Amino acid sequence: MNDNLFKKFLSFSYGSWIGLIVGFFGTMVTTRILLPEDFGKASMFTLALNVLMIAIMFGTDQSFVRFFYEENPENRGGLLYNSIRIPLTLSIAVITIVMIFNKRISIWLFEEESITVVLFLCLGILAQMIFRFATLVIRMQQKGALYSNIHIFHKTLDVLTLLILYFIYGPTYKIIIYSVVINLILLAIYGIWKEKAFWSIRNLNLKNLVHTKKEIIQFGSPLVITVLITWLFQSFDKIAIRHWSDFSELGLYSAAFKIVALVNVLQVSFSTFWAPVAYEKYLKEPNDKEFFSKIFKIVSFTMFFVAIASIAGKDIIVFMLGKEYRAASNIMPFLVFMPIMYTISEITVTGINFHKKPKWHILIASISCFINIGGNAILVPEYGAIGASISTAFSYVVFFGLRTQISKKYFEVNYNLKKTYFIIAIISLYALFSIRNSSFYLNIVIGIIIAILVIFLYLKDIKVGYKALRELKNVNKDSESR
């Protein structure tokens, strides 16, 4: 990987790491001023906002990304306005429906009537839609530093706005909702101001664009199904807890989710780094499957080690959240499977992507989603948030397995899956043990033993794996000269 690519990777990722530290501090503040029940209600607002966003975006954000470089640079502002017209129209329709049924929606989400919160939901829809396009404009122009700075700005605002609202309104779930929407509005304005030439009104009626509004809809609309299935797969656990349990359990679950954010940053950073490198390597040396095998082994070892460390240190991390959230330590162990399994599957899924078979992604997400729904329906009524975490973890193992096996039909790589599944089973048993075990020290001792076992199993792979990582320096060595 050449210096330019590495610098670009750093420019886009440093915001995530700094934002993680600020965000974790914000979580500590939130959990110390709000009860789990309030935290749970606030998470329902975020859930509703995200699903409504999928409906109004209608895949136009993906169309904007897909057509951006095909459009003449001077006409890209016109592409932006053509893309944003559709979600703007849909948002008006959605907001109208939300306001008509505001009482039912408010009671289902928060178990109380609140026209103010519903109004903020409507404002949030518009603000998040504009903010989404504002960040895409920055990202597609590859302004990594600005993109990272906005992410840091976002996380910092979350903490500051929440504290200000706390001193005004006191400890209520509504301060999180108000904070989210106010920050989205401020960030959307900031993003537009930083790229004001792109958002100029002069671009509103540009002619002779390469891609029409019809093409934007045709490309984006089929993706809505995939996005909805993926969202349901990733979010049904919260819906299940809301339906079969209570807001307190949902709040604990959401807090545990925040703790796993560190591993999520690893996932996002690796995905950002891996995609261009994998495609470049495949185009240059399509038969070098050993390279992918080596990378899989070293990344698997790293992520498994992170999972073990997270489970071993769960009580220390959760201690920072305050006594009302200590129960989140028993929810966290299985939640680490989400970013772990997703990250290593990013390597094994390459066959589907290399051979351009996107329909498999819909099937994989659908099967994983069905399993997650079934698992939550069985476990949540009896075990609450812990049951949701177990169901979600199992569905992500299935997700990894499906991605891997289908991908191997197109791009056969020796990943040594027997060892992989063996370690997954060991870590699963450890996660189950850590939930049932109340001894802080015994949990750490068992974690150390399992970590030593994983090191022993991967000792040879670690040596050859790091040699493979050094090969990445040469993957794009000719890019600068071209």
Side-chain angles (χ1 to χ4, degrees):
M1 184 172 63
N2 60 40
D3 290 339
N4 282 343
L5 185 61
F6 184 66
K7 288 176 182 177
K8 191 175 292 183
F9 166 66
L10 287 179
S11 71
F12 273 99
S13 62
Y14 79 80
S16 297
W17 291 100
I18 297 175
L20 168 69
I21 298 169
V22 178
F24 187 73
F25 173 74
T27 301
M28 289 171 58
V29 171
T30 307
T31 55
R32 289 180 182 277
I33 63 177
L34 293 178
L35 294 172
E37 183 177 348
D38 289 316
F39 206 78
K41 288 182 179 181
S43 71
M44 286 303 296
F45 176 87
T46 306
L47 198 67
L49 187 60
N50 288 339
V51 71
L52 290 174
M53 273 295 297
I54 295 171
I56 69 165
M57 292 302 288
F58 209 64
T60 54
D61 53 339
Q62 299 302 314
S63 299
F64 178 72
V65 171
R66 175 65 180 81
F67 299 146
F68 186 87
Y69 291 111
E70 295 179 2
E71 191 59 68
N72 295 323
E74 64 274 12
N75 288 339
R76 287 172 182 168
L79 174 66
L80 169 66
Y81 278 111
N82 272 355
S83 300
I84 212 169
R85 277 190 176 99
I86 299 152
L88 186 60
T89 303
L90 289 173
S91 65
I92 294 170
V94 169
I95 287 170
T96 303
I97 295 170
V98 169
M99 290 308 299
I100 291 171
F101 298 100
N102 72 86
K103 290 183 180 179
R104 291 184 182 181
I105 291 172
S106 180
I107 290 171
W108 188 80
L109 290 176
F110 316 112
E111 288 187 344
E112 65 177 78
E113 287 186 30
S114 177
I115 187 65
T116 306
V117 172
V118 174
L119 284 171
F120 266 83
L121 178 61
C122 296
L123 279 173
I125 292 169
L126 286 171
Q128 185 155 304
M129 181 264 292
I130 296 170
F131 179 57
R132 169 67 174 160
F133 277 104
T135 52
L136 282 179
V137 167
I138 294 166
R139 177 182 159 195
M140 294 311 295
Q141 294 180 95
Q142 301 187 41
K143 296 182 177 181
L146 178 58
Y147 186 83
S148 284
N149 290 340
I150 285 181
H151 189 77
I152 297 168
F153 186 36
H154 192 176
K155 294 297 183 183
T156 305
L157 265 180
D158 284 344
V159 180
L160 294 177
T161 311
L162 188 70
L163 286 173
I164 293 170
L165 291 170
Y166 170 71
F167 287 113
I168 296 173
Y169 296 103
T172 168
Y173 72 93
K174 292 179 182 178
I175 63 174
I176 298 183
I177 293 171
Y178 299 160
S179 174
V180 167
V181 177
I182 290 169
N183 293 342
L184 283 172
I185 293 170
L186 292 174
L187 290 164
I189 293 171
Y190 179 74
I192 292 172
W193 176 72
K194 292 298 289 186
E195 296 296 328
K196 47 186 175 289
F198 214 100
W199 289 85
S200 172
I201 299 299
R202 289 176 296 181
N203 296 325
L204 192 58
N205 295 305
L206 285 179
K207 306 296 182 183
N208 303 318
L209 297 176
V210 175
H211 296 285
T212 64
K213 283 180 280 187
K214 183 179 179 180
E215 288 177 295
I216 291 171
I217 295 172
Q218 286 177 338
F219 179 85
S221 56
L223 299 175
V224 177
I225 299 173
T226 306
V227 174
L228 277 171
I229 293 171
T230 304
W231 173 85
L232 188 60
F233 169 43
Q234 296 175 345
S235 305
F236 189 79
D237 44 5
K238 297 182 184 68
I239 297 172
I241 296 171
R242 169 68 182 90
H243 182 70
W244 284 300
S245 192
D246 54 41
F247 282 119
S248 182
E249 284 285 295
L250 182 57
L252 291 171
Y253 190 81
S254 300
F257 235 98
K258 295 279 188 180
I259 297 170
V260 183
L262 173 61
V263 191
N264 282 331
V265 170
L266 283 174
Q267 172 201 316
V268 173
S269 299
F270 177 76
S271 297
T272 304
F273 156 78
W274 173 246
V277 171
Y279 280 112
E280 185 79 14
K281 182 69 177 179
Y282 178 72
L283 289 172
K284 287 184 175 181
E285 301 175 75
N287 295 318
D288 187 6
K289 297 178 181 180
E290 185 64 23
F291 171 81
F292 292 89
S293 177
K294 291 175 182 177
I295 296 299
F296 173 78
K297 290 170 183 175
I298 193 65
V299 171
S300 296
F301 167 76
T302 303
M303 297 309 290
F304 288 148
F305 207 84
V306 168
I308 295 165
S310 299
I311 297 171
K314 67 183 178 69
D315 294 304
I316 299 174
I317 299 171
V318 173
F319 180 78
M320 300 178 187
L321 300 183
K323 63 180 182 179
E324 297 290 344
Y325 289 83
R326 298 286 162 79
S329 64
N330 286 334
I331 302 169
M332 179 186 162
F334 278 101
L335 286 183
V336 300
F337 280 82
M338 295 176 61
I340 298 298
M341 302 315 301
Y342 189 93
T343 302
I344 63 177
S345 75
E346 283 289 272
I347 301 172
T348 62
V349 77
T350 49
I352 296 174
N353 296 332
F354 290 161
H355 289 266
K356 300 176 181 178
K357 304 292 182 180
K359 291 182 179 179
W360 282 116
H361 291 304
I362 299 176
L363 179 64
I364 292 167
S366 298
I367 294 172
S368 303
C369 181
F370 178 77
I371 290 172
N372 197 20
I373 291 172
N376 275 283
I378 294 169
L379 296 174
V380 172
E382 181 71 22
Y383 302 103
I386 293 176
S389 68
I390 294 171
S391 173
T392 301
F394 180 70
S395 64
Y396 267 87
V397 173
V398 172
F399 177 77
F400 162 76
L402 290 172
R403 272 185 146 195
T404 303
Q405 294 307 130
I406 294 172
S407 176
K408 288 182 69 177
K409 292 181 181 294
Y410 301 100
F411 191 67
E412 178 65 41
V413 178
N414 179 21
Y415 294 120
N416 194 356
L417 293 174
K418 289 182 179 180
K419 179 167 67 177
T420 302
Y421 285 121
F422 172 74
I423 294 173
I424 290 172
I426 293 295
I427 296 176
S428 299
L429 291 173
Y430 177 41
L432 190 62
F433 169 81
S434 71
I435 290 173
R436 300 178 65 87
N437 165 59
S438 59
S439 172
F440 170 76
Y441 296 105
L442 182 58
N443 185 56
I444 292 179
V445 169
I446 298 297
I448 292 172
I449 293 170
I450 295 175
I452 293 171
L453 173 64
V454 171
I455 292 172
F456 175 76
L457 291 173
Y458 274 97
L459 196 57
K460 183 187 293 185
D461 297 327
I462 293 170
K463 295 177 181 178
V464 297
Y466 278 112
K467 290 181 181 178
L469 286 176
R470 287 201 295 270
E471 292 178 30
L472 293 178
K473 295 179 181 179
N474 301 317
V475 168
N476 293 304
K477 63 182 179 180
D478 300 322
S479 296
E480 287 183 349
S481 61
R482 291 200 300 270

